[in-house]
Amino acid sequence: MTPNIEDIKPIEQLTETQYQSYLEDDNARQLLHVSYGLLLTVKNDNGHYIFKDDIYAVLVKYEDEYAELLKNHIGKHLELLNFNSK
């Protein structure tokens, strides 16, 4: 899927309570999906990661929630493939 940039609401227009709904938007989620590699590798002029450490800190802080969301998300893909893990 190629995200339609025009359909993505600018994140500056969202309140903090709307961030989760942002990830439910197919276009916004796809844009994040294809750009996360850049976000994890981009460095400033001093050679320090700009986003990586903060992203990892959030993942560690919310590890259980992240694992559950990931399980649900991957589960949807597996269902579409008629994969039954039982």
Side-chain angles (χ1 to χ4, degrees), residues 14-46:
L14 299 177
T15 64
E16 191 170 321
T17 59
Q18 294 174 308
Y19 289 163
Q20 183 173 348
S21 65
Y22 196 72
L23 296 177
E24 294 168 1
D25 178 291
D26 287 339
N27 288 298
R29 189 176 59 252
Q30 185 64 19
L31 180 62
L32 290 170
H33 178 73
V34 299
S35 61
Y36 81 94
L38 173 67
L39 294 174
L40 292 176
T41 59
V42 68
K43 295 180 180 182
N44 63 20
D45 292 338
N46 296 325

Side-chain angles (χ1 to χ4, degrees), residues 1 21 28 37 39 44 46 57 59 62 65-66 71 74 83:
M1 172 186 172
S21 65
L39 294 174
N44 63 20
N46 296 325
L59 292 175
Y62 297 101
E65 293 90 340
Y66 175 70
K71 183 177 94 176
I74 298 299
F83 181 81

Side-chain angles (χ1 to χ4, degrees), residues 2 15 19 22 26 31 39 50 54-56 61 78-79 84:
T2 302
T15 64
Y19 289 163
Y22 196 72
D26 287 339
L31 180 62
L39 294 174
I50 296 175
D54 291 335
I55 291 171
Y56 275 56
K61 181 177 180 179
L78 293 175
E79 286 176 21
N84 186 350

Side-chain angles (χ1 to χ4, degrees), residues 29 33 67-78:
R29 189 176 59 252
H33 178 73
E68 185 65 26
L69 290 169
L70 185 61
K71 183 177 94 176
N72 292 338
H73 181 72
I74 298 299
K76 291 177 186 177
H77 288 283
L78 293 175

